Amino acid sequence: MSLDLVIVGGGPAGLSAAAHANQLGLNWLLLEASPAHANTIQRYQKGKHVMAEPALVPLRSDLPFTAGTREAVLGSWEQGVTPFGARMRYSSEVVSIAGMKPAFTLTLSGGETVSAASVVLAIGLQGNPRKLGAPGEDAAFVQYTLDDPEEYRGETIVVVGAGDAAIENAIALSRNNTVIVVNRRDEFARAKEGNLAQISRAIEAGTIKCFFNSGVASIDHAGAVVLNTETGQTRVACNRLIARLGAIPPRSFVEACGIRFPSDDPTTLPELTGQYESNVPGLYVIGALGGYPLIKQAMNQGYEVAEFIAGREILPADHGILEQKFRSLPFRLGVDETLALIRERAPLFADVNGLVLRELVLASELLMPVQGDVIFRKNDYTNSFMTIVEGEVDVETDDGRQIRLSQGQFFGEMSLLSGRRRAATVRAAAPCVILESPRREIIRLMNSYEAVRRSIDEHFIVRTLRAGLTPDAPQEELRAIAATAEQLSFKPGDVLFNEGDDADGLHLIRSGSVSVSRRIGGRDIVTSYVAAGNYVGEMGLVGQARRSATVRATVATDSIFLKADVFMKMLERNLGLRERVQETVRERLSENLRMEAQPEAGDLISFLMQQGLGEATDVLLIDETLCIGCDNCEKACAETHGGTSRLDRAAGPSYAHVHVPTSCRHCEDPHCMKDCPPDAIRRAPNGEVYVQDSCIGCGNCERNCPYGVIQMASRKEEAPNLLLWMLTGRGPGPGERQPLADDREGKKAVKCDMCKDLSGGPACVRACPTGAALRISPSEFVKLSKRAG
Amino acid sequence: MHQSILAFRKHRYLWLALLVTALCVTAYWIDDPQEPANGGTVLGYTLGTLGALLILWLAWYGVRKRRYASTAGTVQGWLSAHVYLGAALPVIVLLHSGFQFGYNVHTLAFVLMSLVVASGLFGVYVYLKYPQRLSENRGGANRSALIDELEDVDERSKRIASKLPPEFQELVSSGIGRLQLGESMWQRLRGRDLSQVLLKRGNDYAVVANPGQEAALDWLADQQAKCREPATAAVIGELSALLRNKRRLLKPLAEDLRLQALLEVWLCAHIPLTAALLAALLVHILSVFVYW
Amino acid sequence: MKFLIRFISRNAAGGTEQHDRLVNAPIITMGRATDRMLHLRDRRARLEHAQLEEQNGKVHITTAALAGVEVNGRSQRDARLVVGDVVEVGSNILRVIEAPPGTDFAFTFELSAEAERDTDTPDHYAPEAKRFSLRSLSWILAAAVLLLALVVPGLGIVNPQFAAVARGSKLLPDDTWWLAGPLHTAHTAAGADCQNCHVAAFERVPDEACVDCHEVNRHVAGDTHEVLGERRCASCHLEHNEPPELVKRHQGLCADCHRNLPGDVLLENAGDFLLDHPGFKVSLLQPQVNASGETEWVLQHRLLADAQTADRSNLKFNHAAHLDEAGILAAEGRRVIDCAECHQPEPGGARMRPIRMDQNCAGCHSLNFDPDDPRRTVPHGDPDAVMQVLVEYYSARLLGDDPDAGEQRVRRPGRALTRADRDRAAAEARVQAMQVAEDLFERRVCVNCHEVTRNDDAEMPWTVLPVKLTERFFPHSNFTHAAHDTAASACDSCHDASVSESSADVLIPAIESCRDCHGSAVLRHNNASQTPSTCIMCHSFHFEAKGTYP
């Protein structure tokens, strides 16, 4: 007999779908590749606290789910699904899905096939770990994950792989075991700086043995592995083999099923209807794969999809929330109508998938400022993206002019792209309805929809040019120029152009920052530092044929390149425009000359840039001529933040007595925010990048931060009364608090929040007895360097 | 930008301290008590109270420093005030005493106070002088980097020694194990390298002082000279090269420890004496009123 | 002695490695100190933990530390070691094993199991510097101060016997540690025990404590408090001060009241010697004739500056004449005399001795009456006695039988005196005496210095008015000549006797002359030669005759 539906994937979404399908009396089957349900969550570290975000969305599932430890959550689901017995099929990996409603054919890795009327894809994004692809790859002592390195002692362990995961495992294991690493290439190219340094030192020191340019030929079940090395085959006996070869992203599989993606960007989501149905009729996609990384959302979708398949109409779980959002709007329309209205009014969203738009709106705020209200101020650190659904706003530029934006247009893209402070103040010119969308949502949108990206970039270019260089240039001409613009991106240290090159155009720094240096007396002297939202190379536009300086990216930098000739034409057409450009050019030149006067100052700046402070917005610098090494800054940080210090004073390099300790510099475009499943890392209006309680301790931010200023820490014991401690010394002193023995919540990410919740500013600075600690923004570097010079 | 505790906010607290001192001195000058100036006159009591309160406030710095959430000024501001007002204290107390001394608890309190202030002033001196030296000595790096390098050298020398006869391994491991740059603050201040090493002389091992790895290097040079096979000689040469490297690294480390100790040692006097002073202050006040 | 040390260590892979060391030495030292043969990088080990040594062929483990070393679980300071013995050395284990050939003694040495487990090894290169805990040191110092300076001396207050003990012993601190200043010598006897004055703790010294020993006069009659307010002895008298001085000499103490006295007080206001002080009043003895007609002497306060003020002592004396540079006629001829000739200081030098006829005058002023017989004098002081001496003298001359004693008209040779002769002679002598007396009283002797008047008494017709010299002109002042060093400064710098011709002149210097040297209490009012002078310099507080404190 044929099945009503097959659920592929036994994660939260799949389980919930199964449970409800069962409830509705459908004839269903669940196929899970791994030997247990919720494989991803199984891989969480022990006792880790699982959050139930988003809080305001109600749970809609026949399975229970409340925030709690990994064990509790898994346990409750286990209970929920055991009655289903044989309908839950573990260790059965689906290799292909063919056909469409009502006749799908699924082929399992074993070759067996299953047919069903509908299929629900709930396989998540984790993908399956890449296997060794050698005979015996499933031997008992072969494993593809490592939960706790401390479990193993005195073993000989072979680690296959060259990625960060492999390196981290190898180093952790090498403390108590003999570790042998097998690397396909002759170096660890894919590894992070820190990991690379560590593994190299370990191999240097001989604590870890490494086979380069080698692969696994075969595995001997007796407990040995045969390697293809440069010198031929070698047999290595080992107690354990750990392969960390990354995972196979599910996309290719999904596409093989016939599902279309709007773009090639890896973060793109498949196109889905409001009922989670893909372009293949009867093939539904839910959960992380459908763009819903959070457990609760996934479970809700599982429930809903079961309803849809049973042919019942059901309002999405978020319906109530949207209704609530829209209630105060002047339109007085239903949820779907309002969404339609927004789409219709904002050209930007014209061809955005309905579900995605719904998600966007759900994540966004609807502002209704009246005439004269400030929507955001210049130098605010907000980076949300504003779309005018109704009404008009005025953008106040530096020279006091006002640019009127009207219904359907958007603003705030500068901060959105550059991650920097707001460039201008925006006021409502009339009663407005404005959709304020969080940065990450729009970024995701841009990655999925080329049109959206293009439109936003164009506006960015035009507005940057008008703001700085050519305020009174006619809009359409600028737009024409923008059309010719090309996107460039540079890695840290890359050269945008060299001193003496042809001055062929202008770079708008879209994100990141660059340093301008000139070659004087045989060495490069940094003369200035240009941050995102500004432009370099404008000198080329006022007649100089050659570049007068070298421009380097201090951090990963995107720039928009404008051809000189196009630009020159415009200048010729508009008299007065030229003078203005020359004026700005002259200012730059004079500043540069001033810096050239004192090379040391330049050296200090380039040193700071080397520390990646180019992308900083606020950085802790220590004057070593004043620092007595009392570590009161660390203690202050720890005691004002639950016992864990977010900064390491001693670590970090120094130059000209300026020491850059390991502490967050609140990047313009924070690396840590890039990949935070619960979106727990936020930026406060004043620029502080901080971690919310909703952190699930996944450690992504820790890995993503190139400056190692984020750590995973469990909660610390209570601090004793200060006076009591001073008198008796009982209990831990400042900065000496130990981690709680029984911490249910598990480790969470902690990082500097610039003490935004403390009145009086950063505790580290206020606690420095000698005034050695100082927090400044890069714009003040020049001032600082003058002192050094 | 950065600002030293003395220059804090345009010497704000220097002026305050000078003002207070000036006021006290003038008061003492114009005051015409019915008896020889002493702590018992009206002005005497006033100055005494002022001094006592000042002492308590100065001592409170230790608490404020650790009240990290406190928004009552910055710790730097407090320290600046602590330094200047602390320096003004002896004047106030002298005027309070009317320059009367004797073998009694009152003078004891005064002596303790003077010692505390003196040690404090020394502290100011080192705080202003040594951080720069410390920084110059580290030369852009930091201690942990230095130590990483040393441990790296140790690992390498162990590996090389493993290719040589046991006495070389003894040399290396004992050289590492018996490294002693000063266990106690005092030893560090004297900056003496108390390291020892285990050398094979003839058939026996002898423990030899090994400051700056000298003994070890000499012994190695000796061995290298004696050594017949060029291959081994080369390895020995490698080892002594490493040890020379180590010697080069140990210098700044020892200096770092010495300077750091210097920055801390004065507290060993300042803090306990303060405690004693507070006790003496209590005694002083009580005893004066017990026999009123 | 050949030792074999076998080091056993665990490698990363969990297996054990071992390497041997051969040591040929009489002893093997072990400890944390780097110069030990067996060096232990181990907090639990002592610097010089223990040593293996040969004692007549046997190997012993010995240690100087009282704690000893754990040999087979028993702590010992000297134990012989045999194969199988296990010694705990800090966190290491030493096991004695069979000595392989070529060695005399062998043992294994490894980290104990629990030491293996605790992974927090101290930083090898920059370990936490060892130093005493500031906190405990602080407590010790503070406690020591409290104990020695407060508790022990304080015990004396609650327990007098202990106080005695403490004061007796050299070591124990007693409450002399609390002295705010030296005790005045005047009080050394009383001050042996603080409680004598400091009757109760935390209470100021009560007046009773002073009055116990000192009987002092009131300053004013009546209720003192009413007049002086809450003044205590200690308000004016202070102890334990430097320089040790019991009296506060501050102007304010007096002037605060006297600058502006209440109206009903008869005294004039006085605020400052230089600026606000009434002229001097001298207290003079003045003769007064009372109701019954006889004169009696009363002390009267007279303004010195007043022209009327005169010394009426009934003595005629001319200082000027006596102090004549040319000198005066004396028995032995002319000689110059100075003040000191007659004015001699009393012992202590505060005042001058009273002047007496026989001592100070008689030298020049002899009382002889018969030029033929100059050695005969009349007595001084009693006029009747003078008459009697004269009469007797002359009667003797008339009746006496020595031949050449005056003309003997009455007596005939060879015959006895008749009654009539005697009567005639007596009458004769009286006549002569009268003549001489008149000469003495009215012309030659008495009248020089005394007021002599005639009366109608036929027997004794002269009265000499009694002389009364004022002994203290300023009875309340504590002026002393000694302090003014009469040797150096001549008398006439204050007393202008040299020009005074009448004994009516009061030769006490006026306030102005004092002010030459004595100035205001407030320094700035004084000129170079003036010394600041407060009331208490001349005036005293507790003066007589106003009753005593209860």
Side-chain angles (χ1 to χ4, degrees), chain A residues 188-201:
Chain A
F188 291 86
R190 289 182 289 124
K192 273 195 306 187
E193 270 317 303
N195 286 339
L196 181 57
Q198 272 188 302
I199 189 79
S200 316
R201 201 181 302 126

Side-chain angles (χ1 to χ4, degrees), chain A residues 217-446:
Chain A
S218 65
I219 290 142
D220 174 344
H221 285 265
V225 56
V226 179
L227 301 174
N228 291 325
T229 66
E230 295 163 303
T231 56
Q233 288 209 332
T234 31
R235 188 171 186 287
V236 181
C238 58
N239 315 64
R240 191 172 303 281
L241 187 149
I242 299 174
R244 301 310 300 270
L245 305 165
I248 311 153
R251 178 162 176 169
S252 49
F253 170 75
V254 174
E255 280 173 328
C257 306
I259 296 175
R260 275 203 306 280
F261 284 79
S263 90
D264 291 341
D265 185 284
T267 60
T268 323
L269 308 170
E271 291 171 348
L272 299 176
T273 69
Q275 298 197 332
Y276 313 119
E277 190 167 13
S278 71
N279 56 305
V280 179
L283 181 47
Y284 298 82
V285 177
I286 57 170
L289 183 60
Y292 299 84
L294 299 181
I295 295 174
K296 195 192 276 178
Q297 288 176 319
M299 292 180 78
N300 289 351
Q301 290 184 341
Y303 180 96
E304 289 158 17
V305 86
E307 286 276 332
F308 296 141
I309 289 167
R312 305 172 25 160
E313 270 311 318
I314 176 175
L315 292 171
D318 55 28
H319 187 86
I321 303 159
L322 284 173
E323 225 168 21
Q324 186 61 36
K325 265 197 201 305
F326 297 156
R327 182 159 300 137
S328 49
L329 294 182
F331 311 132
R332 307 250 165 280
L333 296 170
V335 170
D336 296 338
E337 292 77 358
T338 317
L339 287 171
L341 180 85
I342 292 174
R343 177 197 296 279
E344 164 206 324
R345 289 203 173 164
L348 190 65
F349 304 136
D351 44 13
V352 171
N353 160 317
L355 272 179
V356 175
L357 183 60
R358 190 188 183 91
E359 268 304 302
L360 178 70
V361 175
L362 196 60
S364 309
E365 288 302 317
L366 278 151
L367 311 176
M368 291 198 296
V370 299
Q371 182 153 17
D373 282 4
V374 172
I375 296 160
F376 56 69
R377 292 190 182 285
K378 188 172 161 57
N379 293 339
D380 278 0
Y381 256 110
T382 53
N383 52 16
S384 54
F385 180 82
M386 307 284 189
T387 317
I388 307 173
V389 181
E390 184 163 279
E392 291 182 322
V393 300
D394 284 328
V395 181
E396 298 169 0
T397 59
D398 299 350
D399 45 13
R401 290 169 313 113
Q402 299 204 327
I403 301 171
R404 174 65 54 97
L405 300 179
S406 56
Q407 178 175 313
Q409 288 184 286
F410 55 83
F411 56 97
E413 77 289 342
M414 284 244 197
S415 303
L416 173 80
L417 296 179
S418 68
R420 294 179 65 79
R421 300 155 176 256
R422 296 292 188 187
T425 303
V426 177
R427 275 208 171 70
C432 301
V433 176
I434 289 169
L435 184 74
E436 177 179 23
S437 319
R439 181 158 190 263
R440 63 200 305 270
E441 296 299 326
I442 296 295
I443 299 282
R444 199 198 281 169
L445 203 62
M446 288 170 72

Side-chain angles (χ1 to χ4, degrees), chain C residues 245-267:
Chain C
E245 181 177 53
L246 288 171
V247 185
K248 296 186 188 176
R249 310 194 159 277
H250 192 266
Q251 178 94 310
L253 287 169
C254 313
D256 287 352
C257 295
H258 282 268
R259 179 176 295 116
N260 188 359
L261 287 165
D264 57 348
V265 177
L266 298 172
L267 283 172

Side-chain angles (χ1 to χ4, degrees), chain A residues 204-205 624 652 657 759 766 772, chain B residues 2 68 70-71 75 135 140 142 159:
Chain A
E204 227 298 65
E624 285 195 328
H657 300 312
S759 51
R766 282 189 301 113
Chain B
H2 293 99
Y68 299 107
S70 163
T71 52
V75 175
S135 158
N142 57 47
R159 270 212 312 291

